[in-house]
Amino acid sequence: MSKKIDVLSLKGEKVKDIKLEDNIFNIEPNDAVIKDAVVAAMAGARQGTAKVKTRSEVSGGGRKPYRQKGTGNARQGSIRAPHYRHGGIVFGPVPRDYSKKMNKKEKRLALKSALSYKVLDKELVVVSTIEFETNKTKEMVNLLEGLNLINHKVLVCVKELTDNVCLAARNLANVKIVLPSEINTYDLVSSDNLLIEEEALKTLEEVLK
């Protein structure tokens, strides 16, 4: 049976209801694939630029610090050996790529699973449109208050980015604005609610069909 969801006005009043695509919003969520997608997203965000110098890269140490025999000390070949102060570092970090690969089918399944969870947990909110007269933060605050989302971490998906909507949200740490093509599993999992325009929802369904 196809799931239906209410389409609300900016004041939180029901305008109509629409059917959701079953193969996107009503599938059996795959937790393992969701985890893989989240791990891949977090790994991809790592810079991987940490670097230390080995004994071949630190300055100095071109000759033996003292002769091989006769000093009573242990033999040494360089003052830049790891056990010396300012010596090279052993097994330290070197630049690397932390990113993990996922095939397209896995990415799509993870995204559909995350969207299905939003519907199951009643965390999907659809509004007819999101338009503001000014770019003041109060506009976004009033919208979230009208939808009872003011204290939630909200992922807002709009069909088209407008200056007023983007500027009204930029001072709110709990709000992130994205386009339908930018929605990803990590953002969905890390947000409490998905607030999406009706047109953006249709675009998202077309992309994921």
Side-chain angles (χ1 to χ4, degrees):
M1 181 178 177
S2 296
K3 281 187 174 289
K4 288 187 177 182
I5 191 166
D6 294 342
V7 178
L8 308 177
S9 67
L10 295 184
K11 295 181 179 179
E13 300 165 346
K14 180 178 177 180
V15 178
K16 59 180 179 179
D17 56 42
I18 57 172
K19 287 183 179 180
L20 297 174
E21 286 285 345
D22 281 345
N23 65 340
I24 299 174
F25 294 96
N26 194 24
I27 68 168
E28 182 68 32
N30 188 317
D31 292 340
V33 176
I34 289 178
K35 181 191 173 185
D36 288 343
V38 171
V39 169
M42 295 178 71
R46 296 183 68 177
Q47 280 189 319
T49 54
K51 173 73 171 71
V52 296
K53 290 184 177 181
T54 65
R55 64 184 294 168
S56 67
E57 296 169 318
V58 292
S59 60
R63 64 181 179 84
K64 287 170 69 68
Y66 47 79
R67 58 198 174 99
Q68 180 87 345
K69 295 176 177 293
T71 64
N73 294 318
R75 57 193 175 190
Q76 302 294 337
S78 169
I79 60 170
R80 292 298 175 247
H83 57 281
Y84 272 97
R85 181 170 177 266
H86 294 275
I89 303 298
V90 182
F91 303 132
V94 294
R96 57 177 289 193
D97 181 10
Y98 287 98
S99 63
K100 298 179 181 293
K101 290 184 178 179
M102 284 187 73
N103 63 47
K104 289 182 180 179
K105 285 186 177 180
E106 286 180 318
K107 287 181 180 178
R108 289 170 71 88
L109 178 58
L111 185 53
K112 289 179 180 181
S113 296
L115 289 168
S116 294
Y117 265 129
K118 288 299 178 195
V119 175
L120 284 171
D121 298 336
K122 297 182 179 178
E123 295 174 349
L124 175 64
V125 181
V126 182
V127 291
S128 53
T129 185
I130 299 177
E131 293 178 350
F132 298 148
E133 294 181 359
T134 69
N135 59 13
K136 294 186 178 296
T137 306
K138 188 175 181 181
E139 296 272 13
M140 182 61 74
V141 171
N142 289 340
L143 170 62
L144 297 178
E145 285 179 344
L147 299 172
N148 295 319
L149 300 175
I150 189 63
N151 294 320
H152 296 214
K153 189 173 181 182
V154 185
L155 181 65
V156 181
C157 182
V158 293
K159 177 69 184 300
E160 185 179 350
L161 294 175
T162 61
D163 288 343
N164 283 353
V165 172
C166 292
L167 293 173
R170 70 176 175 176
N171 288 331
L172 299 174
N174 63 321
V175 177
K176 181 175 182 179
I177 309 289
V178 295
L179 293 169
S181 59
E182 298 171 337
I183 286 185
N184 60 74
T185 306
Y186 179 77
D187 284 341
L188 286 171
V189 170
S190 60
S191 63
D192 298 321
N193 293 88
L194 171 61
L195 173 61
I196 187 168
E197 284 184 321
E198 184 182 357
E199 286 300 314
L201 178 65
K202 292 178 181 177
T203 301
L204 181 62
E205 288 179 334
E206 289 172 6
V207 171
L208 293 176
K209 269 184 181 178

